Amino acid sequence: MARDTLTGSRIRERRVAQGIKQAELARRAGISASYLNLIEHNRRRIGGKLLLDIAEVLSVEPALLTEGAGAALIASLREAASDMPQASAELDRVDEFAGRFPGWAELLSTCRQRITALERNVETLTDRMTHDPHLAASLHEMLTTVTAIRSAASILAEPGEIDPDWQARFHRNIYEDSARLAETSRGLVTYLEADDETATETGAPQEEVDAVLEAAGHHVPELERGEPESEALKRLGQSISAPAKELLQNWLSRYARDALALPMSALVPLIAEFGPDPAALSQTTGAGPAQVMRRLAAMPPDVLPDPVGLAICDASGVLSYRKPLPDFPMPRFGAACPLWPLYRALNRPMVILSLPVVQQGRAGDGVWVDALAMPVGGVAVNSDPIFEAHMLVRPMPRDIDAITQPDEVGVSCRVCAKPNCIGRREPSILAPIG
């Protein structure tokens, strides 16, 4: 129904709202009640002097009777209907609804605007929960502590007697973990309150590539079969930006060279014999240890039941590639812990640093890392080499001496509670440990 045919409905709504009888309005306007009834049911058009007379009786502007609801209100109602097509709203009668019930129409429009604003806030918070490394690591620390408390409490709750010494130890662990949880919670709340107006920006090219590789499991079957890189790029780079595609292309080119030098058919039996030991595999195959590390990180789960992680940084220390593990998370962006052997390798290039490490606040024996820095490119004249460092993270080997103490490192300074750390760059949001 066209908007200019709704004048009668608006007259009726105004009349009813003011408590004026139809016969009274018709008398004061100088027309019959039956004619006014036809007008109010939109069966007769109205304009000219009669419209002015009725508007004067109703004490409203004539434009309010002819134009009804504003264009913005009509547009808002149409947008609300398009947001929920399953509701089957009668779009052809939206003008009539807004004209006859302007109050309800304004309420629906206001509610839609509020819902849109709330959805935007939820998306922002969800994005921050997903991509803020500080928040994610803090929540991980809290969940780890809660799990430790629950484990100790469940042991104490089991039937039967427990040795007094062990019982005291469990009580002490619960007390210390609960105190740490309380302090960490307060630190997290302080961090959120301080940064509640800042949203984590996403969409950086390196982040796009990280997301693509994570979804693919860091394994590209096309390149393992010797297919062109363009096929892999077409599949993996469908929904990423042009700069991200360029980074992905560079990574795929390196992957293809590695797969050609160390094909899976030759590498799988050696992994079964030596395990994910880059030094042993490098000596056996003749490939460089850094290349072996990249190939190990690209192996599918059926080849490596226990996955390995890999971090690669350039000479500035910025992570250019990251494949984290549950027991060894890596910051999505920003600087990692300066105590990582990855950075120590830059000070001792062309030497494999192989040692156990454990991240601050995490249970278990830790992981084994192999770090190596190698020059990028060939020999240059009167030019110092630029180094690139690799660090492979793998499960702790079974034949390692139990008395070997792992080096204690963190994820990043912001979420590390290690006290008096010589490498700390900024205060931690977590409570100190110990």
Side-chain angles (χ1 to χ4, degrees):
M1 184 176 291
R3 292 179 61 185
D4 60 356
T5 64
L6 297 174
T7 304
S9 298
R10 300 179 190 117
I11 291 174
R12 181 178 59 195
E13 296 301 324
R14 295 284 181 173
R15 176 181 63 77
V16 173
Q18 297 180 27
I20 302 176
K21 294 184 178 298
Q22 191 178 66
E24 175 64 15
L25 177 58
R27 183 187 65 78
R28 295 172 62 180
I31 59 176
S32 66
S34 59
Y35 187 72
L36 179 60
N37 184 63
L38 292 174
I39 291 175
E40 289 188 349
H41 285 83
N42 301 304
R43 296 178 182 176
R44 293 291 185 273
R45 292 182 178 273
I46 180 175
K49 184 177 183 301
L50 179 56
L51 176 63
L52 296 177
D53 292 341
I54 291 179
E56 183 179 359
V57 174
L58 297 176
S59 300
V60 298
E61 292 291 333
L64 293 178
L65 299 177
T66 56
E67 297 179 3
L73 179 59
I74 297 294
S76 179
L77 292 175
R78 290 184 181 277
E79 290 174 359
S82 64
D83 289 343
M84 300 185 65
Q86 67 274 15
S88 303
E90 296 85 353
L91 289 175
D92 58 332
R93 303 186 65 183
V94 63
D95 291 355
E96 180 182 1
F97 173 74
R100 295 186 61 184
F101 307 103
W104 282 106
E106 186 67 35
L107 176 63
L108 285 176
S109 176
T110 303
C111 288
R112 177 189 175 273
Q113 294 174 5
R114 184 179 181 186
I115 291 172
T116 301
L118 291 174
E119 288 177 344
R120 190 175 297 112
N121 289 339
V122 170
E123 290 174 358
T124 301
L125 292 174
T126 301
D127 182 68
R128 184 177 183 186
M129 291 277 292
T130 304
H131 298 287
D132 189 336
H134 308 321
L135 180 58
S138 299
L139 292 176
H140 179 79
E141 293 290 342
M142 294 179 64
L143 292 175
T144 301
T145 307
V146 170
T147 302
I149 294 174
R150 181 177 177 84
S151 298
S154 64
I155 294 175
L156 292 174
E158 290 180 355
E161 294 185 0
I162 301 178
D163 183 89
D165 292 339
W166 281 101
Q167 190 177 51
R169 181 178 300 181
F170 285 132
H171 283 150
R172 184 174 63 256
N173 289 344
I174 292 176
Y175 173 77
E176 293 175 352
D177 288 340
S178 60
R180 178 185 172 194
L181 178 62
E183 291 297 326
T184 302
S185 301
R186 283 193 288 269
L188 180 59
V189 170
T190 302
Y191 170 67
L192 293 175
E193 289 178 347
D195 296 343
D196 59 354
E197 295 183 357
T198 60
T200 300
E201 296 292 336
T202 61
Q206 187 61 54
E207 285 193 64
E208 293 182 69
V209 174
D210 287 346
V212 168
L213 298 182
E214 183 176 359
H218 300 260
H219 178 70
V220 186
E222 296 95 327
L223 300 184
E224 298 290 352
R225 296 190 297 265
E227 297 178 9
E229 299 171 22
S230 57
E231 294 297 322
L233 182 63
K234 181 179 179 181
R235 178 177 67 88
L236 297 175
Q238 293 180 353
S239 59
I240 60 176
S241 63
K245 282 186 179 180
E246 184 175 350
L247 292 179
L248 181 60
Q249 175 67 67
N250 294 336
W251 184 84
L252 291 174
S253 298
R254 182 182 239 185
Y255 190 114
R257 294 193 299 270
D258 292 343
L260 181 63
L262 284 175
M264 283 187 59
S265 58
L267 190 58
V268 169
L270 296 177
I271 294 177
E273 179 180 358
F274 298 102
D277 186 340
L281 293 174
S282 174
Q283 186 176 7
T284 303
T285 61
Q291 190 174 57
V292 171
M293 293 180 187
R294 294 193 297 270
R295 291 299 288 148
L296 289 172
M299 291 297 102
D302 57 339
V303 175
L304 286 178
D306 296 323
V308 299
L310 180 64
I312 303 176
C313 77
D314 59 19
S316 69
V318 175
L319 294 182
S320 58
Y321 177 87
R322 53 184 295 279
K323 182 187 178 184
L325 292 180
D327 293 333
F328 199 93
M330 302 174 186
R332 185 177 295 274
F333 49 86
C337 174
L339 301 182
W340 283 9
L342 174 73
Y343 302 120
R344 290 164 53 186
L346 291 171
N347 296 326
R348 300 179 62 187
M350 305 180 70
V351 174
I352 298 179
L353 304 180
S354 188
L355 67 158
V357 300
V358 61
Q359 283 198 340
Q360 180 75 23
R362 281 176 170 77
D365 298 328
V367 295
W368 194 271
V369 300
D370 301 274
L372 171 69
M374 295 294 292
V376 178
V379 177
V381 179
N382 296 328
S383 178
D384 294 332
I386 300 296
F387 289 94
E388 181 185 58
H390 290 60
M391 184 177 73
L392 186 76
V393 183
R394 53 190 174 109
M396 190 74 72
R398 296 186 179 90
D399 56 350
I400 297 301
D401 191 342
I403 65 173
T404 303
Q405 292 297 320
D407 287 356
E408 195 171 59
V409 300
V411 179
S412 65
C413 290
R414 189 64 171 162
V415 290
C416 178
K418 184 177 181 180
N420 304 321
C421 178
I422 192 174
R424 179 170 298 284
R425 294 180 301 271
E426 58 180 328
S428 173
I429 64 172
L430 305 179
I433 299 176

